[in-house]
């Protein structure tokens, strides 16, 4: 009997190890599949235009090289290592053609104010929703949830009408102001701040703290992780915006690089890879720097338990 129990225990342990190994392989396969487009974009940005055309002939069969069409193979050849490393695409983007850098700085000018002021507005609004309850406040918060669930395309027409009425249509303010008052940050911060124990507030009041001290000395330090994670999410969301500039900015000179990327024609495929790589750098750096805060904020961790 003792031997049979030992054998069954070994079989169960072996089965658990096999399950973990299969789950690991499955997760690794999904990770590789998700990373493949990014890796291909980065490596192909170091290829020459001729090599890119030869590798992706069936995709870019109408590509124009040197002002005339050329014969291209019908097969797609995915390559991770270029035959000859070339920095010509980056030289064109960073030195020879200032248009790409201009669009990049357009993105920075639009996104940074949105992130900063949306976080500021969300902190104050979330504090109000979490500290004071009432039917009116709950109805307003519920409207935030409804707006957050709607795709941005639904609110584009109202945003267009409001910005036109305010006289800021076709200016950067049309993008910045509509981005600042996005409901996503308010919703996430409110759900987090409502988990802060009431005992913390009562202890602060016993020490003579007022509303501003409770907000700045209690809620803000405890919400630091989730604020950072929300800032990352807001940055990524607005860094990749396309519909908003197309509708609210008619002047192409004000368009961010995200819109400009979609307009690069097939004859500049190599430049598209280089520009896309440069465009990914701020997002990747921000994510890698704040990965711990991002996970902690989303999972509502950080030392507070509801």
């Amino acid at each position: 009997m003792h031997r049979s129990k030992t054998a069954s225990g070994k079989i169960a342990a072996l089965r658990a190890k096999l399950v973990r190994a299969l789950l690991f392989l499955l997760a690794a396969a999904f990770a590789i599949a998700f990373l493949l487009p990014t890796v291909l974009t980065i490596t192909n940005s170091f290829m020459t235009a001729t090599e890119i055309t030869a590798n992706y002939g069936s995709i870019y069969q109408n590509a124009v090289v040197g002002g005339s069409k050329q014969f291209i193979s019908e097969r797609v050849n995915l390559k991770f290592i270029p035959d000859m490393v070339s920095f010509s695409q980056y030289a064109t983007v960073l030195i020879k053609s200032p248009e790409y850098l201009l669009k990049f700085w357009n993105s920075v000018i639009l996104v940074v104010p949105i992130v900063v002021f949306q976080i500021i507005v969300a902190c104050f609004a979330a504090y109000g929703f979490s500290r004071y309850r009432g039917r009116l406040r709950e109805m307003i918060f519920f409207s935030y949830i409804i707006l957050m669930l709607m795709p941005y395309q639904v609110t584009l027409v109202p945003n267009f009408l409001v910005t036109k009425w305010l006289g800021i249509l076709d200016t950067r303010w049309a993008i910045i102001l509509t981005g600042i008052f996005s409901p996503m940050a308010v919703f996430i911060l409110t759900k987090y701040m409502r988990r802060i124990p009431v005992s913390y507030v009562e202890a602060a009041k016993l020490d003579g703290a007022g509303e501003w001290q409770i907000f700045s000395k209690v809620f803000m330090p405890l919400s630091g992780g989730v604020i950072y994670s929300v800032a990352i999410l807001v940055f990524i969301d607005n860094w990749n915006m396309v519909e908003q500039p197309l509708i609210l900015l008619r002047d192409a000179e004000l368009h961010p690089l995200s819109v400009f990327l979609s307009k690069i024609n097939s004859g500049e495929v190599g430049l598209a890879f280089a520009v896309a790589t440069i465009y990914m750098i701020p997002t990747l750096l921000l994510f890698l720097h704040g990965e711990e805060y991002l996970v902690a904020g989303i999972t509502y961790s950080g030392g507070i338990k509801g």
Side-chain angles (χ1 to χ4, degrees):
M1 179 68 67
H2 178 70
R3 290 181 179 178
S4 62
K5 290 183 178 179
T6 303
S8 61
K10 290 182 178 180
I11 293 173
L14 181 61
R15 185 179 302 171
K17 290 181 179 180
L18 289 175
V19 171
R20 286 197 296 268
L22 290 175
L23 291 176
F24 174 80
L25 292 176
L26 183 63
F30 276 110
I32 292 173
F34 282 118
L35 289 175
L36 184 61
T38 303
V39 174
L40 280 174
T41 300
I42 296 173
T43 56
N44 290 346
S45 66
F46 295 99
M47 294 181 182
T48 62
T50 305
E51 185 177 358
I52 291 174
T53 303
N55 291 334
Y56 304 102
S58 63
I59 299 177
Y60 304 110
Q61 56 185 339
N62 293 323
V64 178
V65 179
S68 61
K69 293 184 179 181
Q70 66 177 33
F71 175 77
I72 300 174
S73 173
E74 295 182 357
R75 299 181 61 183
V76 175
N77 181 26
L78 296 179
K79 292 182 63 176
F80 291 92
I81 301 176
D83 295 334
M84 182 180 66
V85 177
S86 173
F87 295 92
S88 60
Q89 316 290 0
Y90 289 97
T92 301
V93 171
L94 299 175
I95 300 174
K96 298 179 181 179
S97 179
E99 188 177 12
Y100 299 100
L101 285 180
L102 177 63
K103 301 300 182 183
F104 179 87
W105 286 111
N106 280 346
S107 298
V108 174
I109 293 171
L110 291 174
V111 174
V112 171
I114 291 176
V115 174
V116 173
F117 289 101
Q118 185 177 148
I119 294 300
I120 293 175
V121 171
C123 287
F124 285 104
Y127 178 76
F129 284 131
S130 60
R131 285 277 288 122
Y132 304 101
R133 302 291 183 92
R135 181 173 299 179
L136 179 61
R137 290 183 178 87
E138 291 301 322
M139 291 177 60
I140 296 174
F141 184 67
F142 181 74
S143 67
Y144 269 86
I145 298 176
I146 297 298
L147 288 174
M148 191 185 68
L149 294 177
M150 290 183 179
Y152 191 83
Q153 292 80 358
V154 174
T155 59
L156 268 178
V157 174
N159 285 337
F160 176 85
L161 296 176
V162 171
T163 53
K164 185 177 181 181
W165 178 73
L166 292 174
I168 59 174
L169 187 64
D170 298 329
T171 66
R172 289 191 175 98
W173 289 110
I175 303 294
I176 294 174
L177 291 180
T178 55
I180 287 175
F181 298 101
S182 176
M184 182 185 71
V186 177
F187 171 77
I188 297 177
L189 286 176
T190 301
K191 299 299 290 185
Y192 183 85
M193 288 184 180
R194 283 181 174 178
R195 295 166 61 92
I196 296 178
V198 180
S199 58
Y200 288 17
V201 178
E202 294 175 350
K205 286 183 176 181
L206 289 176
D207 291 336
E211 287 297 332
W212 175 252
Q213 284 75 23
I214 294 173
F215 171 75
S216 60
K217 303 296 184 182
V218 178
F219 276 72
M220 287 298 97
L222 292 175
S223 305
V226 73
I227 290 174
Y228 195 93
S229 66
V230 170
I232 295 175
L233 294 174
V234 172
F235 179 87
I236 294 174
D237 184 40
N238 290 278
W239 189 253
N240 298 316
M241 60 180 170
V242 175
E243 296 91 347
Q244 301 95 310
L246 288 176
I247 300 300
L248 303 177
L249 292 177
R250 298 175 185 175
D251 187 1
E253 295 296 326
L254 299 178
H255 283 173
L257 191 56
S258 54
V259 175
F260 191 67
L261 273 174
S262 62
K263 296 181 179 180
I264 297 178
N265 57 48
S266 58
E268 298 175 318
V269 179
L271 292 180
F273 282 130
V275 175
T277 301
I278 295 173
Y279 193 68
M280 287 189 294
I281 291 175
T283 304
L284 290 175
L285 291 178
L286 190 62
F287 174 79
L288 293 174
H289 179 265
E291 180 183 3
E292 180 181 352
Y293 297 101
L294 180 63
V295 176
I298 293 177
T299 56
Y300 297 128
S301 62
I304 297 176
K305 296 188 181 294

